[in-house]
Amino acid sequence: MLSTVEKLKRDVDALPVYRSSKEVETFFRRYNAPAGHVLSWRERMHKKNAPNVRPEETISKPAATASDDFPQCRARAWTLPEMLTECVFLQDGAQVTTLSKPDIALSFQNFRTMTAASFERTDAGKKILIADQWAAHPERLEVFGRTHAPGRPAIAADPLGRICVNFWRDIPHTVPRDWEGRCKLFVDHIAFLIPAPFERELFMDWLAHIEQKPGERPHFHFLMRTDGAQGIGRNYLAEVMARMWPGRVSLSVDLMRILDGGFNGLVAGSLVAVVDEIHADQAHASPRRVAQALKSELTASVRNVRPKYGREYTEFCATRWLMFSNHVRALPLPKEDRRLVVIKNPEVAKDSDYYRTIYAALNDGEFIASVREFLRQRDLSDFNPGLHAPLNDAKSAMILATTSAADLAAAEVIQQWPADLITSGELANELADEDGKRPTGSMLRAIAIEAGMVPGRGQIKLGGNPVRYWILRNSQIWQSANHMQMRTELKKVTGR
């Protein structure tokens, strides 16, 4: 049995002399011939029938166009089997995406327009788009929407159990033969930026964990700071990561905007989010609210993605945060913070030749592959992704620098107040600012709870007046004490 191409060749040879190029086009459409074959056979027919063709009907090769220089820009000619294998209908928003490019989702109408060059003709000559055949086909792929689930298949459940197209795709990797020698440049730079051995090894393990277990988010993140020094090469780390894991590293992230409830689409699907410069004074909310929002961002295992454009969706959050700052007041942290490892970087930069060398290596693909292989081979048997971030000198200094005067005063009250209990009025007096303004209501409560005080149950009568009180110390004892015992304790200070 002859193939379509063979039939076309046979009929071209048997075709009688034609009078117009329109007749030729009609002939080829009947066979749904590919554009390349049409062009070559049109030239073949032209040569065959040249003596019988009027000059104005001569079929010539089209003039060169931009698409000749950029063949990847030509419209793809889809077949129905290809669409059934590759294209996926998204119920959420009636959109269409593909398994090869899940980051792009089009409305069905836009999808029809994009694939309009792919069609068939009926015997009567009517054009039927392949997209319309695909949409009506019972075997088309159909899921709820899209999600990000690192390490899982191309079709996977989102955090709510809905079947979705997964953004995640493994990144190809080729191992250079001399990777151990090539990666030394990167390892030495890490040693320069992180002088303390424990912190350096922890950071290296943290990086290796991204490569080896991308879908398992550690419980801690990193903030590197100086006391004003710039140009020491911290952003070089971000550039290396962006090349190792292309499309999976978000650079120059505005963390404060995200904490304020803004769009978070920039960090969606990221393995690493890098903040170039963070300072507590950038926040529009109070330090206490920023600290609470930061805790939520660093601990969440699921993220509701709010893109600036497009539909919201839910993903498994695997984003690790790497922040840089030139200020001791980088972020407001509570003293019990367990999520942020703070590293003090050197204050003196290397010479210009050093930085010229390491930045030149960024354009060497084998160097980037060598760093990645170094992380793949690193032993993580002792790495604990649930580790509580240690409280070192750099972190203590940052906590102290971002602690408000009222919070410091509250800590002093807990340590020095002569009784285990204190009335709300006395506490407000102790926390008053230099102008004598006393915190009241929700502000007083927030400061007290942040400091570790426990609110008393109900009210106690002192001097005939009911008063509210706070437990400063030994909360287990005082929560089970009777009113007489608590009144006696409060009278140690009031005398009422």
Side-chain angles (χ1 to χ4, degrees):
M1 180 179 293
L2 295 177
S3 67
T4 300
V5 174
E6 290 171 333
K7 289 180 181 179
L8 183 56
K9 289 182 178 180
R10 179 197 63 191
D11 292 349
V12 165
D13 291 336
L15 191 69
V17 175
Y18 60 82
R19 289 186 174 277
S20 70
S21 59
K22 185 175 181 179
E23 294 175 7
V24 178
E25 297 294 342
T26 302
F27 176 80
F28 282 109
R29 288 197 188 101
R30 189 186 313 142
Y31 284 88
N32 294 317
H37 293 302
V38 172
L39 179 61
S40 62
W41 288 329
R42 285 175 66 187
E43 292 177 342
R44 180 179 175 187
M45 291 177 65
H46 170 65
K47 291 178 181 179
K48 173 186 174 186
N49 299 292
N52 304 311
V53 180
R54 293 193 297 269
E56 64 271 18
E57 294 178 348
T58 301
I59 301 175
S60 59
K61 184 177 180 180
T65 63
S67 60
D68 293 326
D69 295 328
F70 303 98
Q72 69 273 21
C73 297
R74 290 184 180 273
R76 175 178 175 179
W78 290 83
T79 65
L80 181 57
E82 288 174 340
M83 277 196 185
L84 290 174
T85 303
E86 176 73 9
C87 299
V88 186
F89 182 80
L90 307 178
Q91 298 168 352
D92 185 27
Q95 296 180 311
V96 182
T97 189
T98 61
L99 294 178
S100 59
K101 296 181 179 179
D103 55 317
I104 300 174
L106 303 174
S107 68
F108 180 68
Q109 185 57 47
N110 287 344
F111 176 72
R112 290 181 81 247
T113 303
M114 185 187 75
T115 59
S118 305
F119 61 88
E120 292 179 347
R121 288 191 181 274
T122 65
D123 293 339
K126 181 180 179 181
K127 184 166 71 173
I128 303 177
L129 294 181
I130 301 295
D132 289 336
Q133 296 182 52
W134 170 82
H137 203 286
E139 295 183 11
R140 75 176 185 193
L141 299 177
E142 181 174 331
V143 300
F144 172 77
R146 297 180 295 170
T147 191
H148 181 245
R152 305 189 188 190
I155 301 292
D158 72 359
L160 300 179
R162 303 170 299 195
I163 302 302
C164 295
V165 173
N166 186 5
F167 286 114
W168 174 262
R169 297 294 182 273
D170 291 332
I171 303 173
H173 176 59
T174 302
V175 183
R177 287 182 298 177
D178 55 346
W179 66 268
E180 292 177 287
R182 286 178 174 272
C183 72
K184 189 175 183 301
L185 197 69
F186 177 79
V187 175
D188 289 347
H189 189 60
I190 296 289
F192 162 67
L193 290 176
I194 312 177
F198 171 78
E199 295 169 356
R200 179 169 63 247
E201 293 303 309
L202 183 62
F203 182 71
M204 292 291 240
D205 286 346
W206 187 78
L207 287 179
H209 188 261
I210 300 173
E211 173 62 34
Q212 296 182 28
K213 296 186 178 181
E216 183 182 321
R217 191 188 200 193
H219 291 185
F220 61 93
H221 309 262
F222 279 86
L223 186 150
M224 298 185 181
R225 73 167 187 84
T226 65
D227 288 332
Q230 301 183 28
I232 61 174
R234 290 178 303 195
N235 282 325
Y236 173 78
L237 300 181
E239 295 292 343
V240 172
M241 287 188 286
R243 286 162 172 77
M244 275 196 301
W245 305 306
R248 310 291 165 79
V249 178
S250 298
L251 302 176
S252 303
V253 176
D254 187 345
L255 176 60
M256 289 302 182
R257 183 180 295 274
I258 292 177
L259 297 182
D260 286 342
F263 302 111
N264 61 0
L266 179 62
V267 297
S270 297
L271 295 180
V272 184
V274 181
V275 183
D276 290 338
E277 175 59 35
I278 190 75
H279 194 296
D281 295 340
Q282 296 170 342
H284 301 295
S286 67
R288 190 166 286 103
R289 289 186 60 187
V290 171
Q292 189 60 43
L294 178 65
K295 179 181 178 181
S296 298
E297 178 60 39
L298 298 184
T299 59
S301 59
V302 173
R303 173 185 286 128
N304 182 38
V305 180
R306 305 181 301 275
K308 190 170 185 179
Y309 304 103
R311 304 186 68 82
E312 293 189 5
Y313 60 92
T314 305
E315 70 173 14
F316 293 95
C317 184
T319 306
R320 289 83 161 170
W321 286 90
L322 176 59
M323 310 170 214
F324 303 137
S325 181
N326 298 323
H327 308 277
V328 67
R329 286 177 45 79
L331 277 174
L333 292 180
K335 60 180 179 298
E336 68 275 7
D337 174 76
R338 299 176 177 179
R339 300 294 179 180
L340 206 58
V341 179
V342 180
I343 292 177
K344 183 68 167 60
N345 298 126
E347 296 293 325
V348 180
K350 296 272 192 177
D351 59 64
S352 58
D353 288 340
Y354 172 82
Y355 294 104
R356 190 178 298 113
T357 299
I358 65 172
Y359 275 94
L362 291 175
N363 298 319
D364 182 358
E366 297 226 327
F367 165 72
I368 299 299
S370 297
V371 175
R372 189 176 175 193
E373 184 62 20
F374 168 76
L375 298 179
R376 290 168 72 93
Q377 296 293 336
R378 188 173 176 85
D379 180 14
L380 294 181
S381 58
D382 293 331
F383 178 67
N384 178 15
L387 176 75
H388 291 171
L391 181 64
N392 56 14
D393 292 342
K395 187 172 183 177
S396 297
M398 196 172 84
I399 292 174
L400 181 62
T402 55
T403 302
S404 68
D407 290 332
L408 292 174
E412 185 175 350
V413 168
I414 292 176
Q415 293 176 357
Q416 299 183 8
W417 193 251
D420 286 353
L421 307 181
I422 186 173
T423 67
S424 294
E426 291 167 335
L427 179 59
N429 290 335
E430 293 297 318
L431 302 183
D433 60 21
E434 295 178 354
D435 297 327
K437 185 177 180 181
R438 304 160 70 243
T440 59
S442 59
M443 181 179 294
L444 178 65
R445 181 179 180 84
I447 295 172
I449 291 177
E450 182 72 22
M453 302 180 194
V454 176
R457 294 176 298 148
Q459 298 177 330
I460 297 292
K461 278 194 174 183
L462 286 180
N465 298 317
V467 296
R468 296 191 179 276
Y469 64 98
W470 290 85
I471 303 173
L472 303 178
R473 299 177 293 269
N474 304 315
S475 60
Q476 291 183 343
I477 296 176
W478 291 108
Q479 283 179 322
S480 60
N482 58 42
H483 279 209
M484 181 63 70
Q485 292 170 321
M486 290 187 285
R487 187 179 298 110
T488 301
E489 184 70 13
L490 286 169
K491 286 182 176 180
K492 287 182 178 180
V493 179
T494 64
R496 293 183 288 175

